[in-house]
Amino acid sequence: MSEFVSTDAGDVMTESSRIFITGSTGFVGSTIVKKLLQENIRLTVAVFAAEGARFPAAIKQVVVEPLSKSCDYTAALQDIDTVIHLAARVHVMKETAHDPLQEFRKVNVYGMERLARQAAQAGAKRFVFMSTIGVNGDISGDKPYTEGDVPRPHNPYSVSKYEAELALRQISIETGMEVVIIRAPLVYGPCNPGNFLSLLRIVSKGIPLPLASVKNKRSLIYVGNLVDALATCATHPGAAGQTYLVSDGGNVSTPELVRRTASALGVPARLFPAPVSLMKLLGKLTGKSGAVNRLTGSLTVDSSKIRQELEWKPPFTMEEGLRETAGWFNNRVKVKS
């Protein structure tokens, strides 16, 4: 890890400094732990008692309680210079909460704010926050989203993330702790959960998809590229106080993504044309409008700010990312299915 000088205090962060990671056993968290461990960075990772996580001896593992208004991470944050906060209540496929937004706030806003204030009090110099492109909105249209757009969070999850961003900005003003925010579109890679795993399963089974007529554009980011951006934001002096949108850099239509995914899996892409208007109507009738909009609408991001200001470049192409993802799927998931 290269040195960086804190813009506020003039302190130098070197390889002897320590990074604290929440969500360390998750999809993104486990990937960044591996990356930073390979770079000989001193790590402390937060785990829940029920997880029974086991990390290499070089990593300090601390058992913590779930994030809430009353959580206490004080002991875990001692000797920490930088926090990379990945833990969150994420999208719930079958939401049962009476007030979903309040449930998201408990972890993503109140718990995060509690953690951030304790980190500042413990002497942490920087807090890197994993947000979501949903803070910008769900459909970008012809123009890609940028950091300067007026936020339009579109669901309880993205609302909670935006409120967390605002809380962090206030904490930074009050305490001087540097804050860096990253908003990412759909993340894919080995061990990916959710929508992309569903896509892999459908494409691998050769199920015909009515997407050939879709003419949209989508931004994605491979998990290897995302953790590289997170690591850069944790160490680069120019990142302090900034918000960055990140992506692989090459936008694709939904049918093109299916074709590339099929190629990586070593199976044919089975696409047939269908009127997009009919798909949207069926989506409304079946309560699947959100899924249809994600498949047919455009959501692109302009990641030029982080590339220019921090000289960041994704280390992996989309083709490389899809190949690694497909290899994991074929070797571990498809065999079990």
Side-chain angles (χ1 to χ4, degrees):
M1 179 174 69
S2 59
E3 288 189 346
F4 90 78
V5 179
S6 169
T7 55
D8 287 339
D11 297 328
V12 178
M13 184 173 181
T14 66
E15 291 183 1
S16 63
S17 302
R18 184 176 288 276
I19 293 178
F20 179 73
I21 300 176
T22 68
S24 60
T25 60
F27 170 42
V28 177
S30 59
T31 307
I32 196 169
V33 166
K34 292 177 183 177
K35 172 183 173 57
L36 296 180
L37 183 62
Q38 291 171 352
E39 297 178 2
N40 296 318
I41 293 175
R42 297 171 68 231
L43 298 177
T44 295
V45 297
V47 300
F48 298 142
E51 290 178 314
R54 292 292 182 270
F55 289 91
I59 297 176
K60 182 180 178 181
Q61 179 176 308
V62 294
V63 177
V64 298
E65 58 188 303
L67 290 164
S68 68
K69 282 184 177 180
S70 59
C71 64
D72 189 352
Y73 280 48
T74 304
L77 290 163
Q78 298 308 306
D79 190 36
I80 297 299
D81 298 276
T82 302
V83 175
I84 299 178
H85 182 45
L86 307 174
R89 185 180 194 263
V90 297
H91 300 286
V92 180
M93 299 301 292
K94 295 182 179 180
E95 182 64 77
T96 59
H98 174 70
D99 186 348
L101 178 55
Q102 189 59 24
E103 292 303 310
F104 280 111
R105 282 172 171 157
K106 287 178 181 178
V107 175
N108 299 352
V109 184
Y110 310 142
M112 182 287 308
E113 184 173 9
R114 177 87 169 171
L115 170 67
R117 290 192 179 279
Q118 290 173 355
Q121 188 173 11
K125 299 176 180 66
R126 182 170 292 189
F127 194 101
V128 180
F129 179 62
M130 184 73 245
S131 189
T132 172
I133 196 59
V135 169
N136 287 68
D138 61 339
I139 299 294
S140 62
D142 296 332
K143 183 181 177 181
Y145 284 132
T146 70
E147 294 84 355
D149 292 335
V150 175
R152 291 186 174 86
H154 61 97
N155 58 19
Y157 171 68
S158 57
V159 168
S160 72
K161 283 292 190 174
Y162 179 52
E163 291 177 350
E165 291 186 13
L166 295 177
L168 272 177
R169 295 295 186 195
Q170 184 60 35
I171 292 170
S172 180
I173 292 172
E174 294 174 7
T175 68
M177 182 174 66
E178 298 170 348
V179 167
V180 189
I181 295 167
I182 289 187
R183 298 179 190 162
L186 178 66
V187 184
Y188 67 97
C191 301
N192 52 199
N195 292 331
F196 203 86
L197 179 57
S198 297
L199 176 66
L200 289 167
R201 285 179 169 141
I202 291 171
V203 173
S204 70
K205 293 176 180 177
I207 297 174
L209 298 170
L211 301 172
S213 300
V214 175
K215 300 185 184 301
N216 64 344
K217 290 294 182 182
R218 306 289 296 189
S219 293
L220 297 85
I221 187 163
Y222 176 54
V223 68
N225 292 333
L226 176 57
V227 301
D228 191 78
L230 285 164
T232 299
C233 288
T235 60
H236 198 293
Q242 299 300 319
T243 296
Y244 294 112
L245 306 190
V246 294
S247 75
D248 286 339
N251 302 322
V252 293
S253 66
T254 299
E256 179 61 21
L257 177 61
V258 171
R259 294 187 187 99
R260 293 191 186 191
T261 301
S263 176
L265 290 168
V267 299
R270 302 188 185 279
L271 297 168
F272 65 92
V276 174
S277 58
L278 177 59
M279 293 171 60
K280 290 184 176 181
L281 175 60
L282 291 175
K284 289 182 179 179
L285 294 175
T286 60
K288 301 291 185 181
S289 291
V292 172
N293 289 338
R294 285 191 293 272
L295 289 170
T296 61
S298 291
L299 197 165
T300 58
V301 307
D302 180 352
S303 60
S304 61
K305 180 182 176 182
I306 189 172
R307 295 167 187 259
Q308 294 170 3
E309 292 185 356
L310 307 187
E311 298 183 345
W312 177 76
K313 180 180 179 181
F316 303 96
T317 65
M318 182 177 289
E319 286 71 22
E320 291 170 332
L322 288 173
R323 186 165 59 246
E324 289 296 315
T325 307
W328 160 78
F329 179 84
N330 283 330
N331 292 332
R332 300 191 182 183
V333 178
K334 189 175 180 180
V335 172
K336 298 177 182 178
S337 301

